[in-house]
Amino acid sequence: MQSSGRWPGDSWTAREIEQQPATWIRVAEAVRRARPEIGKLIGLSGWRIVLTGAGTSAFVGEVVARDLARHLGRPVEAIATTEIVADPGAVVVDDRPILLVSFARSGNSPESVAAADLLQRLAPELRHLVITCDPGGRLARRWSGAGNAVVVNLPDEVNDRGFAMTSSFTGMALAALLAFGVDVDVDALARAGSAVLDGAAEHAPAISGAKPARLVFLGSGPLRGLAREAALKCLELTRGEVVGLADSALGFRHGPKSVLDERTIAVVFLSIDPHARRYDVDIARELVQSLGEERVVVVGGDDAGEVGGARIWPVPSPPGVPVAGYALLVVIAAQTTALACSLALGVTPDNPFPEGEVNRVVQGVVIHEFAPPEVS
């Protein structure tokens, strides 16, 4: 493993954050090879589309669901495997067939396999699209070769070796957009990603240097799911020493705003959707008034005047990129901020929990037998 060049020490985490623009090109190639098989699933008219995963993999679904819905002209639901396993009967409530899109870095989490198997029992017409970074994982092996499933194995580079999911997150999100035919100029996206990385060495240490006790991430539409992923990265890579919280620009005022104090830094992800952007700008201005200019960071903005003097972390927007595609650029800011905070605290980013309190692949989950209620 080579040094990342931008961050002190050698870590898989730094390397995997920085490799993302290059891996996006190879992700696109993997999806292109699978398109003939994927097309048979996407052409299913009238089917429910459910996106699922756990943790970061669940947030992939939250980020891409709305742009997929707009592109397909029908609802797309993001339901975490953890919710499906706990209450599968609430997912299958009618006789509509379901296309289940499963996201998984390893595919070895107990919920990943159990969710797909449970829905297969409850909805016999279920079809599966598995997007995974590990062809040897349980989920990929379970559905490879099945007549009702297509498994898309992403390049080995995006099967993150670090503790936290970084390139696997952006790789799976991009794969989902491309699989469903959303138009993304991957070359332009990769160039923009490199530009965000170039700026990260300045902006991320500036945030960590303020020694925040709390980082609040806010975003609208698909960027709300991204805010949840950003908060999780903060918690994971700092071993919970910096508390990450997430909400939408509008939802934050409804109680969660209570978390603000003198050791909080608020990060607002500025949408490229003109309507949503107005609400992002409103909350950024409000936060500047309550926290001060130095404790509010706007990611995606390029005009300090628009957001009342907040600190600006510019993120370029390639022409025509969907909001979910833009999220793959914005998340680099969140990932590098979490990494910078981790290093500032002396935490080892590849192994922030050496005692095993939290694991790379979740442990300790018991899958209980589900008995559907009897119909009277």
Side-chain angles (χ1 to χ4, degrees):
M1 179 178 59
Q2 298 177 348
S3 171
S4 69
R6 291 184 175 91
W7 308 99
D10 291 338
S11 72
W12 281 110
T13 303
R15 182 182 181 184
E16 287 158 355
I17 291 171
E18 294 200 345
Q19 73 178 2
Q20 289 175 106
T23 62
W24 296 341
I25 306 297
R26 292 189 279 279
V27 165
E29 293 171 353
V31 174
R32 179 181 53 77
R33 290 192 297 270
R35 279 287 297 175
E37 291 302 311
I38 296 172
K40 297 175 184 177
L41 297 179
I42 306 243
L44 298 169
S45 178
W47 284 53
R48 286 177 64 198
I49 299 176
V50 175
L51 313 179
T52 196
T56 290
S57 296
F59 301 149
V60 172
E62 292 186 15
V63 167
V64 303
R66 297 188 187 201
D67 276 324
L68 293 185
R70 276 189 281 264
H71 175 71
L72 298 171
R74 52 175 160 153
V76 176
E77 306 163 71
I79 308 175
T81 57
T82 47
E83 297 299 317
I84 293 173
V85 168
D87 192 6
V91 179
V92 183
V93 293
D94 57 27
D95 58 0
R96 285 179 298 163
I98 298 173
L99 170 58
L100 183 69
V101 183
S102 297
F103 300 106
R105 170 170 64 172
S106 71
N108 290 324
S109 297
E111 301 98 329
S112 296
V113 177
D117 286 341
L118 276 167
L119 293 191
Q120 187 68 63
R121 284 175 49 198
L122 297 175
E125 288 191 71
L126 191 75
R127 303 281 182 92
H128 300 266
L129 174 58
V130 176
I131 298 177
T132 181
C133 308
D134 186 358
R138 291 176 60 199
L139 192 66
R141 289 187 283 109
R142 168 70 177 85
W143 296 106
S144 291
N148 65 335
V150 174
V151 176
V152 179
N153 293 309
L154 300 186
D156 181 64
E157 303 97 300
V158 300
N159 185 9
D160 295 319
R161 274 68 170 175
F163 176 84
M165 292 174 62
T166 54
S167 61
S168 53
F169 172 81
T170 59
M172 289 191 291
L174 177 61
L177 293 172
L178 296 175
F180 282 88
V182 176
D183 185 19
V184 180
D185 185 336
V186 180
D187 290 330
L189 193 72
R191 289 192 295 272
S194 295
V196 180
L197 285 166
D198 288 340
E202 171 192 350
H203 295 286
I207 296 173
S208 65
K211 299 181 179 179
R214 302 170 181 173
L215 278 170
V216 173
F217 298 93
L218 304 176
S220 301
L223 299 187
R224 179 182 180 274
L226 186 68
R228 297 187 68 190
E229 167 61 7
L232 178 58
K233 287 290 95 59
C234 173
L235 286 166
E236 289 178 326
L237 292 182
T238 69
R239 200 170 51 206
E241 293 186 34
V242 179
V243 177
L245 301 103
D247 211 321
S248 66
L250 284 171
F252 187 61
R253 296 185 184 90
H254 292 263
K257 189 179 175 183
S258 306
V259 76
L260 298 178
D261 65 12
E262 68 279 358
R263 294 195 62 195
T264 302
I265 288 182
V267 181
V268 179
F269 297 142
L270 201 60
S271 180
I272 56 172
D273 175 81
H275 183 71
R277 184 186 182 96
R278 293 174 182 150
Y279 295 105
D280 302 334
V281 169
D282 287 348
I283 195 65
R285 289 172 174 168
E286 186 174 318
L287 289 167
V288 166
Q289 292 299 313
S290 56
L291 291 176
E293 295 180 359
E294 291 302 307
R295 305 199 75 81
V296 181
V297 180
V298 173
V299 178
D302 55 10
D303 180 1
E306 181 183 21
V307 289
R311 294 162 60 183
I312 304 299
W313 187 330
V315 174
S317 173
V321 68
V323 179
Y326 186 65
L328 309 189
L329 303 174
V330 175
V331 78
I332 293 174
Q335 294 168 345
T336 53
T337 294
L339 175 60
C341 289
S342 176
L343 295 171
L345 291 166
V347 176
T348 303
D350 286 352
N351 188 23
F353 298 93
E355 302 301 318
E357 304 95 326
V358 184
N359 307 104
R360 182 178 180 275
V361 178
V362 70
Q363 298 179 15
V365 177
V366 176
I367 303 297
H368 298 283
E369 182 64 27
F370 174 68
E374 296 183 3
V375 179
S376 58

